[in-house]
Amino acid sequence: MDLIIIGLLGGLITGISPCILPVLPVIFLTGGAQSARFEPQNADTDGAGRAAASRTLPARRSRPYLVIAGLVTSFTLVTLVGSLLLGLLHLPQDVIRWVGIAVLVLIGVGLMVPRFEQLLEKPFQWIPRKEVANSGSGFGVGLALGAVFVPCAGPVLAAIIVAGATGRIGLDTVLLTASFAIGVAVPLLVFALAGRGVIERIRAFRTRERGLRIAAGVAMLALAVGLVFNVPQQLQRLLPDYTAQLQRDLTDNDQAAQALGLGGLVTDENRDLDKCTNGADELQSCGTAPAIRGIDSWLNTPGGEAIDLESLRGKVVLIDFWAYSCINCQRSIPHVVAWDEAYRDAGLEVIGIHSPEYAFEKDASNVAAGAKDFGIDYPVALDNNLSTWTAYRNRYWPAHYLIDASGTVRHISFGEGNYAATEKMIRELLDDADPGVTLPAATDVADDTPDAGSTTRETFLGSSKDVNYAGPEPYRAGEGTFAYPADQPADTFALEGAWNVQTQFATPTGAGAAGIRLDYHAAQVRMVLAGEGNVRVRAADGTETAIAVSGTPRSYEIARSDAVQAGTLTVEVDPGVEVYSFTFG
């Protein structure tokens, strides 16, 4: 029951979110307007002397319901089994999307050109009252829309996609998916019915069926072209996500996390990972390592070829889950790089699974630049859909999974630290795999892991994940003017001046620079910045540091001391610079 309620509420929230906007004109015109009752215009009498009737013509009143039913049906099937079927058929993962776009184009042209519509319907004339074109029931239109419908990827949808990706499609997953799709459908159906009501109440529309059909065709073609060029995603980035807090309120609790299986669904493949204790000092046996799956592309392999774990039997494998802008990963990666350099010739294979936290971390060029900055030349898999992350039931950046030469997981370590124990076990497994191997001296990389609770938590400025905000004004998506508070609590930030708060970052909107005041506890402070412009950082003692920002998001150090200490920084940010987060070490 919890799954159904969470699915319905998650769908309802998604159904009123900004990412729904691109499909609304099509829903309004094809689901609503086309089901309105139209009045025929006066016509000349024909040869038999009969005049056109002036009464209202009957219309298919079920059309809005059938359009939405088609959307729910195809969205559910595509989400749950689309990837699995395409994988079995060895077809590209986006083929369903392109087929859906092609169908939208065909139906759109059919609406505008009646003769073309007749050609579309001809192969289906043997089916009673099952027209393909938009003059029919509308179910086919809904099927096409569902195949290309990509709602905002909140936690509920993420859990559904994860289930489909891992092949774990049971009754609970079907119930969650169906309830989510119904939740999304309710606002869309209301909009379609509202469209019909508008058309029937305004006389100017009631006599223009042909014009509305053409408008529906134009809307459908516009949606198809927009999908080709990813316009809906660009529109979503421009609009504030006013439903983000609702999504968090729905899923940020233990009951929802347990119901959704957030962090990884338990499967026969990964069930034995529970036998490993996080950060254990001794080797354990935790089942065969799950396969690396769902990877968009590979870095640092010959020709970008994929790596299959089974092909590495005989080697010791270290899998490192990381993200290039994550401060915890930035402190951990030097250890992983050192292990790769020290033990590669002795039989260690390091594989980085780059699992993005931000949307910009999905870009292969951004990841490649980050890997180069860290000196990573071992293979890196871009796990943009978190498929491998989910297969390993992972929850942390960074996370290390140590696999022996037979393919069994022998050690798991979440988060920072535990480096000496992990290296000791790497050496043990290398010696077990090849008793005659000569191992170099242990690596000597300083452990910069801060004491638990000693530093300020990672601070995000985007509206979807904002934390530690201390200003007097509400912190929400959109443009606003801010002022520093008279008293600012420890471990918080506040804004001053004109800012535009987006889903993942904030940027000044005025003619001049805008300010951020940060109160923190840390030995190192970094900012994730992007865009073009300058940032000036002023410490409490008056010293000022200027940083030139250019290009895609990356992490910049803005303060460092020998030990964790309390401090206050004032940051002036030029227009054109995007501020994503502060991280602390």
Side-chain angles (χ1 to χ4, degrees):
M1 190 64 183
D2 287 343
L3 274 178
I4 295 175
I5 294 173
I6 291 171
L8 283 171
L9 292 176
L12 284 169
I13 293 169
T14 301
I16 60 172
S17 66
C19 59
I20 298 298
L21 297 179
V23 303
L24 290 185
V26 176
I27 295 293
F28 182 93
L29 290 165
T30 64
Q34 287 299 111
S35 67
R37 297 188 185 276
F38 292 94
E39 297 176 0
Q41 295 179 348
N42 292 332
D44 295 333
T45 56
D46 58 18
R50 293 172 297 181
S54 59
R55 62 181 176 83
T56 301
L57 294 176
R60 191 164 297 183
R61 308 295 283 177
S62 61
R63 182 177 179 80
Y65 302 95
L66 291 171
V67 169
I68 301 303
L71 187 150
V72 169
T73 300
S74 61
F75 171 75
T76 302
L77 292 175
V78 169
T79 304
L80 281 182
V81 300
S83 293
L84 293 177
L85 289 177
L86 292 174
L88 291 173
L89 297 173
H90 304 289
L91 294 173
Q93 288 294 312
D94 60 351
V95 68
I96 294 178
R97 175 176 179 269
W98 286 109
V99 169
I101 291 174
V103 172
L104 289 179
V105 171
L106 292 175
I107 296 177
V109 173
L111 285 168
M112 301 169 66
V113 184
R115 183 164 294 183
F116 184 76
E117 180 183 50
Q118 294 169 6
L119 291 175
L120 286 179
E121 293 176 352
K122 202 165 187 178
F124 301 90
Q125 287 179 347
W126 62 277
I127 306 177
R129 299 178 64 84
K130 295 294 182 182
E131 301 95 335
V132 174
N134 208 52
S135 59
S137 70
F139 190 74
V141 175
L143 290 176
L145 288 173
V148 298
F149 177 60
V150 183
C152 300
V156 178
L157 182 58
I160 294 169
I161 292 172
V162 159
T166 58
R168 189 69 175 181
I169 304 174
L171 177 61
D172 54 349
T173 308
V174 174
L175 288 175
L176 178 64
T177 307
S179 59
F180 178 85
I182 292 170
V184 172
V186 169
L188 295 179
L189 179 60
V190 169
F191 195 79
L193 293 174
R196 180 167 71 187
V198 168
I199 298 303
E200 291 183 339
R201 283 171 174 76
I202 301 176
R203 183 174 180 82
F205 287 147
R206 295 205 307 266
T207 58
R208 288 174 170 79
E209 179 187 12
R210 179 63 187 151
L212 287 170
R213 283 172 57 82
I214 293 175
V218 170
M220 200 165 287
L221 290 176
L223 176 61
V225 172
L227 290 167
V228 171
F229 293 100
N230 293 317
V231 173
Q233 288 86 342
Q234 297 172 27
L235 178 63
Q236 185 181 339
R237 288 195 293 269
L238 292 173
L239 294 174
D241 186 0
Y242 43 80
T243 61
Q245 186 59 50
L246 293 173
Q247 290 278 13
R248 288 198 296 271
D249 292 342
L250 175 65
T251 58
D252 284 359
N253 58 79
D254 293 338
Q255 184 178 7
Q258 183 176 1
L260 294 174
L262 298 177
L265 297 177
V266 178
T267 67
D268 291 339
E269 184 185 33
N270 62 26
R271 193 178 308 279
D272 286 342
L273 292 177
D274 283 338
K275 296 178 180 179
C276 269
T277 304
N278 174 33
D281 293 329
E282 301 293 335
L283 289 169
Q284 300 172 315
S285 182
C286 317
T288 302
I292 298 174
R293 56 164 56 85
I295 301 303
D296 278 27
S297 59
W298 287 80
L299 305 177
N300 301 334
T301 64
E305 294 181 1
I307 293 178
D308 184 353
L309 285 181
E310 289 191 5
S311 69
L312 299 178
R313 296 293 167 83
K315 286 189 171 186
V316 176
V317 179
L318 176 69
I319 289 183
D320 175 30
F321 287 91
W322 69 293
Y324 77 82
S325 73
C326 165
I327 184 63
N328 310 88
C329 300
Q330 292 169 14
R331 289 191 291 260
S332 172
I333 285 172
H335 296 270
V336 180
V337 169
W339 296 335
D340 174 62
E341 293 175 350
Y343 302 115
R344 181 183 295 186
D345 292 340
L348 176 68
E349 180 76 32
V350 177
I351 300 176
I353 307 294
H354 187 273
S355 305
E357 185 177 9
Y358 288 115
F360 64 76
E361 289 176 323
K362 294 184 178 183
D363 186 273
S365 60
N366 290 349
V367 180
K372 183 178 179 181
D373 289 343
F374 295 126
I376 295 174
D377 56 13
Y378 49 78
V380 173
L382 273 61
D383 186 26
N384 285 349
N385 294 318
L386 302 185
S387 298
T388 299
W389 166 288
T390 302
Y392 277 77
R393 297 166 58 192
N394 188 37
R395 291 177 180 268
Y396 301 92
W397 289 276
H400 301 138
Y401 292 73
L402 189 56
I403 304 167
D404 67 17
S406 67
T408 301
V409 177
R410 303 296 302 278
H411 177 67
I412 297 175
S413 182
F414 295 135
E416 297 180 71
N418 200 45
Y419 302 119
T422 300
E423 183 170 8
K424 177 177 76 72
M425 284 178 265
I426 290 174
R427 296 172 69 90
E428 289 181 26
L429 292 180
L430 288 172
D431 189 63
D432 290 343
D434 181 6
V437 69
T438 300
L439 297 178
T443 60
D444 185 19
V445 177
D447 187 349
D448 294 328
T449 305
D451 295 334
S454 64
T455 63
T456 303
R457 63 181 294 194
E458 188 171 8
T459 298
F460 301 92
L461 272 71
S463 63
S464 64
K465 298 178 69 175
D466 62 282
V467 296
N468 303 353
Y469 175 68
E473 306 84 2
Y475 198 86
R476 53 177 173 242
E479 295 187 3
T481 302
F482 298 82
Y484 293 143
D487 296 308
Q488 185 170 330
D491 301 310
T492 62
F493 79 96
L495 301 181
E496 183 178 61
W499 287 85
N500 184 2
V501 178
Q502 296 288 314
T503 303
Q504 296 193 3
F505 63 84
T507 186
T509 58
I516 307 173
R517 190 166 68 196
L518 177 73
D519 186 287
Y520 69 93
H521 287 80
Q524 182 190 33
V525 183
R526 303 182 70 91
M527 293 179 72
V528 177
L529 304 167
E532 299 289 336
N534 294 303
V535 169
R536 291 163 293 283
V537 182
R538 187 168 60 253
D541 61 5
T543 58
E544 186 171 305
T545 303
I547 299 172
V549 180
S550 180
T552 55
R554 54 173 294 214
S555 179
Y556 296 81
E557 183 178 274
I558 63 172
R560 176 182 284 273
S561 58
D562 294 333
V564 174
Q565 62 183 30
T568 302
L569 297 174
T570 302
V571 183
E572 290 185 355
V573 183
D574 284 351
V577 175
E578 300 168 354
V579 183
Y580 285 81
S581 65
F582 291 95
T583 56
F584 306 92

